[in-house]
Amino acid sequence: MRNTLHAALALAAAATLSPAAYAQNTMEQQYSSWPSYDGDDLELKVDDAGTHFTLWSPSAEGAEVLVYSSDRNTAAEDTLIMKRAERGTWRVSVPEKLYGKFYTFAVTVDGKRLAETPGVWAKATGTNGIRAAIIDLDSTDPEGWSNDRGPKLANITDAVIYEMHHRDFSIDPSSGIVHKGKFLALTEPGTSSPLGAKTGIEHLKELGITHVHILPSYDYNSVDEANLQANGYNWGYDPFNYNTPEGSYSTDPANPKARIFEMKQMVKALHDAGIGVVMDVVYNHTANNDDSNFSLTAPGYYYRHRADGSYSDASGCGNETASERQQMRNFIVNSVKYWADEYHIDGFRFDLMAIHDIETMNEVVAELKKINPSIFVYGEGWTAGDSPLPVERRALKENVDKMNGIAVFSDDLRDAVKGHYSNAADRGFATGKPGNEETVKIGIVASTAHPQVDYSKGNNSKFAYAGAPTEIINYVSCHDDLTLTDKLAKSMPGSSEAERQRAARLAQTIVFTSQGTPFMFAGEEVFRDKKGVHNSYKSPDSINAIDWTLKTKNADQLAYYKGLISLRKAHPAFRMTTADEIARNIVFDKVSAPNVISYSIRNNANGDAWREIKLVFNGSDEAYTTKIPKGKWIIVARDGNINPDGMSTFEGGKISVEPTSALILARE
């Protein structure tokens, strides 16, 4: 009787749905009925009993493994017929250890044999990732790998993150690096520009950053690894094989061991220099739709669809993955665990993180913390389009406080400081546009609740969405959109380069002294530009490469960045970890002048040696006079100059804050 009643209620509920919603429901019910598999043997395991293949493909009518002697352009030397096994898997084993061989899977669905695929779990591949490779992963470990460790952090707010692309960083002749555009570029000691300035890993150590955030380093689709002389370039946001390194960054893409060994060498070199490695991951979409490795193993399952069966597209790249489905969730969680364990990765940046569901992201962090308590995760708290995933389930920035140990980028601070990202001509606080003061203050307190910050006046966010500063990444530019240098050039027509550099210094001073975690784009410390190209994802090296002669030309700019980083690292007052600390210790001053913000960090905040830090930001084109209480102060920054140990002393009283500059004073 109860079953009959439930069926009747289900039919009644279905009758109230629109045809589109009914079709969507039916599709979800179909995929939710598929069994998931979370074993550690997908899709290859080699042990003393031989070589074992396991493929998850619940809808397949048949599956086989094709074994090859080379990575491409040869016929299969053997075909292994798989047998249906538990929880949607197919299995086959051979008694030999097939090291040195390559393989693909082919499944039959609805009577059709689909194209060959290396599967979704390939951990080693040959050229262009079309065939998976059977190797002994232990043989890819560099010397000392078992003792390799990244930097330990108490909190993400102790990090200073530097975002770079392998090719941008080393490809220019001025880098003085031998392995240009390769993983090994970051292993070369003692490199310098023709003018004698440090480059490569030596530059990173000199700058003082704690972590490099490297743009996608997994095997992506757009660069032909068999034709590298064609000088192909891409950012890498078009995933192909998620669990093997990109071949174009290795010295030998045809050698499956080379890319793995060389990426590990890079990680170890950075760790030996005291620098952590953040990996940019793009689980939200794939480069291909029907031809992706996901679609060729379990058609339809891994993606969200519209009611008409077409791919939904919150990524703006043709599809979006379905993290809420158990097997996709398992894949994401186990993939990041693999990178953290096998490659010693110290953090992950999730592209378009809001396409993923909150539950998946929480599981990601929980599992990663078991491997490395210092590991951290952050991402873009937005999508590039609408999604069937309900808003309340999305890993949006507005939902960050529902996530544990995850941070999101602050578009509030970004747009308020430099001007809106989508309008090149738009100015911000640092470039003289009034009306952004309250939004900058939202950034200063890391989007947490503060009694002196009025969120109703915010340009982007209208409420305090962060529960703690550990949930916020502050920045003014990244690989996307205009570099800060180009943004200033377009929004400050007629200005001199010196004036634009002053604006950049003010902008970055706000970033590096705000609560939350600072993030900067590679090369901006030497005032690098991209010739005004805002979406340079496949632009040539002439657009994307960093010219390291700029380091000598713009030495003062570099010195200022180094000073900012040193100041932040030396003073925990800039690195508070709770909203309550911020509300108690940060006090904003009443300011009547437009484009000026003045505040103090008091009470030896977060155990700081300085009892009070006074910060005044003047984004206007006129000097601003402020009054400082009597006492012994040291001037840390003034008029575009900075010295964390103090430039001079000041006994209080009136002091001028020059146009487009920051004043920082401190007293013990």
Side-chain angles (χ1 to χ4, degrees):
M1 177 66 182
R2 291 180 64 189
N3 287 343
T4 304
L5 178 60
H6 286 171
L9 289 172
L11 285 171
T16 65
L17 296 173
S18 67
Y22 180 75
Q24 194 74 39
N25 265 9
T26 302
M27 192 181 304
E28 287 303 318
Q29 288 170 9
Q30 171 195 341
Y31 292 131
S32 65
S33 69
W34 287 17
S36 62
Y37 180 77
D38 197 22
D40 64 357
D41 54 353
L42 292 174
E43 291 162 349
L44 172 72
K45 193 169 187 177
V46 182
D47 56 25
D48 290 341
T51 305
H52 316 281
F53 300 94
T54 305
L55 182 70
W56 186 81
S57 184
S59 63
E61 296 149 8
E64 55 195 35
V65 179
L66 292 90
V67 180
Y68 295 90
S69 60
S70 65
D71 70 332
R72 57 195 171 119
N73 301 329
T74 55
E77 62 179 27
D78 200 2
T79 299
L80 309 176
I81 304 302
M82 307 185 82
K83 293 183 178 180
R84 191 184 296 276
E86 77 279 13
R87 304 200 62 75
T89 62
W90 295 77
R91 295 183 183 274
V92 67
S93 296
V94 295
E96 302 84 17
K97 294 182 179 180
L98 298 180
Y99 289 138
K101 302 292 185 181
F102 295 82
Y103 68 93
T104 59
F105 297 100
V107 303
T108 298
V109 178
D110 293 333
K112 179 183 178 182
R113 185 179 185 273
L114 304 183
E116 293 176 45
T117 170
V120 302
W121 261 110
K123 295 175 181 176
T125 59
T127 308
N128 286 326
I130 57 176
R131 292 177 184 171
I134 305 173
I135 66 169
D136 179 2
L137 277 169
D138 289 343
S139 68
T140 65
D141 294 347
E143 185 178 352
W145 187 244
S146 61
N147 296 318
D148 175 71
R149 300 290 184 275
K152 290 184 178 180
L153 290 184
N155 298 284
I156 186 176
T157 47
D158 294 330
V160 176
I161 303 170
Y162 183 91
E163 183 197 47
M164 57 164 280
H165 184 280
H166 292 291
R167 197 173 179 95
D168 295 8
F169 194 68
S170 58
I171 200 70
D172 195 84
S174 64
S175 73
I177 289 172
V178 175
H179 297 96
K180 293 179 173 62
K182 306 297 183 183
F183 292 126
L184 293 181
L186 285 168
T187 69
E188 297 181 30
T191 59
S192 62
S193 74
L195 301 177
K198 293 178 180 178
T199 61
I201 197 168
E202 303 295 344
H203 172 76
L204 297 177
K205 290 191 286 186
E206 178 188 1
L207 187 58
I209 54 96
T210 68
H211 288 73
V212 290
H213 161 155
I214 301 178
L215 264 63
S217 299
Y218 52 73
D219 183 46
Y220 57 82
N221 192 55
S222 48
V223 173
D224 184 0
E225 298 171 5
N227 190 26
L228 293 183
Q229 63 270 24
N231 203 27
Y233 179 99
N234 207 279
W235 283 342
Y237 291 93
D238 53 338
F240 190 56
N241 290 296
Y242 282 98
N243 299 298
T244 186
E246 164 62 17
S248 66
Y249 297 145
S250 77
T251 58
D252 186 2
N255 181 349
K257 288 186 179 182
R259 62 179 77 191
I260 299 173
F261 177 64
E262 291 171 6
M263 185 172 180
K264 288 179 177 179
Q265 283 183 294
M266 176 197 73
V267 171
K268 188 175 186 303
L270 287 164
H271 284 174
D272 289 347
I275 298 170
V277 180
V278 176
M279 187 172 177
D280 201 320
V281 289
V282 189
Y283 295 107
N284 65 76
H285 74 276
T286 55
N288 301 318
N289 292 356
D290 293 348
D291 295 328
S292 75
N293 294 327
F294 284 145
S295 294
L296 294 176
T297 55
Y301 176 87
Y302 288 103
Y303 299 94
R304 297 183 189 129
H305 295 82
R306 302 185 183 98
D308 62 3
S310 62
Y311 288 90
S312 55
D313 187 19
S315 70
C317 298
N319 61 70
E320 63 179 288
T321 55
S323 62
E324 70 280 9
R325 294 182 191 145
Q326 190 59 50
Q327 196 66 25
M328 186 64 203
R329 178 176 294 157
N330 290 348
F331 178 80
I332 294 172
V333 171
N334 288 317
S335 179
V336 292
K337 285 171 61 179
Y338 174 70
W339 284 105
D341 186 51
E342 183 67 32
Y343 290 85
H344 302 177
I345 299 300
D346 304 285
F348 294 89
R349 179 266 194 188
F350 275 71
D351 181 69
L352 294 178
M353 185 172 68
I355 291 176
H356 302 314
D357 66 290
I358 292 169
E359 185 178 346
T360 296
M361 293 308 305
N362 280 335
E363 190 172 332
V364 161
V365 174
E367 291 299 313
L368 286 174
K369 289 290 187 180
K370 294 176 185 177
I371 297 172
N372 176 7
S374 292
I375 213 162
F376 53 80
V377 174
Y378 57 95
E380 294 179 296
W382 44 76
T383 68
D386 198 15
S387 170
L389 186 70
V391 171
E392 64 273 12
R393 295 185 65 188
R394 299 179 193 174
L396 289 160
K397 72 169 194 174
E398 292 85 358
N399 291 332
V400 69
D401 207 31
K402 298 177 184 176
M403 296 181 270
N404 301 317
I406 293 175
V408 294
F409 287 96
S410 172
D411 57 343
D412 303 277
L413 188 73
R414 179 196 69 196
D415 293 346
V417 168
K418 70 171 183 179
H420 199 272
Y421 77 93
S422 67
N423 179 357
D426 186 42
R427 292 193 179 194
F429 175 89
T431 46
K433 181 181 177 181
N436 291 296
E437 297 87 350
E438 206 68 20
T439 310
V440 174
K441 287 165 66 176
I442 288 172
I444 290 169
V445 301
S447 300
T448 61
H450 189 283
Q452 292 180 286
V453 177
D454 185 354
Y455 277 80
S456 70
K457 296 178 181 177
N459 296 341
N460 293 6
S461 302
K462 297 297 182 181
F463 67 96
Y465 58 87
T470 51
E471 298 172 358
I472 295 296
I473 304 289
N474 288 317
Y475 73 122
V476 283
S477 68
C478 64
H479 69 277
D480 273 326
D481 308 311
L482 293 172
T483 66
L484 182 59
T485 304
D486 285 327
K487 172 67 173 174
L488 296 174
K490 288 181 178 291
S491 62
M492 300 173 67
S495 62
S496 67
E497 185 168 85
E499 289 170 329
R500 296 194 295 275
Q501 288 193 5
R502 283 182 68 89
R505 293 183 198 188
L506 173 58
Q508 294 291 10
T509 305
I510 296 171
V511 168
F512 278 86
T513 58
S514 291
Q515 303 302 312
T517 303
F519 173 106
M520 63 175 289
F521 182 46
E524 288 190 347
E525 70 277 17
V526 299
F527 215 52
R528 166 254 189 116
D529 68 88
K530 289 196 291 185
K531 313 295 189 297
V533 177
H534 78 99
N535 189 21
S536 65
Y537 76 101
K538 61 177 181 179
S539 298
D541 295 327
S542 58
I543 299 297
N544 283 302
I546 298 173
D547 175 3
W548 288 103
T549 64
L550 292 172
K551 185 172 178 179
T552 302
K553 176 189 175 187
N554 298 318
D556 290 344
Q557 196 77 352
L558 172 68
Y560 193 88
Y561 272 74
K562 287 168 59 178
L564 274 178
I565 293 170
S566 178
L567 174 67
R568 182 179 181 90
K569 289 169 69 175
H571 290 281
F574 300 117
R575 312 193 308 270
M576 288 182 267
T577 59
T578 70
D580 180 62
E581 285 180 292
I582 294 172
R584 282 189 290 108
N585 297 323
I586 288 184
V587 179
F588 288 96
D589 302 316
K590 290 185 178 180
V591 177
S592 57
N595 262 57
V596 175
I597 294 172
S598 176
Y599 72 99
S600 289
I601 308 177
R602 298 179 176 175
N603 309 319
N604 299 96
N606 200 23
D608 204 295
W610 286 344
R611 175 163 58 94
E612 181 178 2
I613 305 170
K614 171 68 73 175
L615 301 101
V616 186
F617 302 138
N618 183 8
S620 73
D621 57 5
E622 296 181 358
Y624 172 75
T625 301
T626 188
K627 191 173 183 181
I628 305 298
K630 293 292 184 181
K632 186 176 181 180
W633 296 83
I634 60 169
I635 297 177
V636 177
R638 187 180 185 187
D639 195 21
N641 297 290
I642 189 169
N643 185 337
D645 297 323
M647 298 164 55
S648 59
T649 59
F650 180 63
E651 297 299 325
K654 291 184 178 181
I655 188 170
S656 178
V657 185
E658 287 73 9
T660 319
S661 73
L663 173 69
I664 304 176
L665 307 98
R667 57 179 172 178
E668 295 180 350

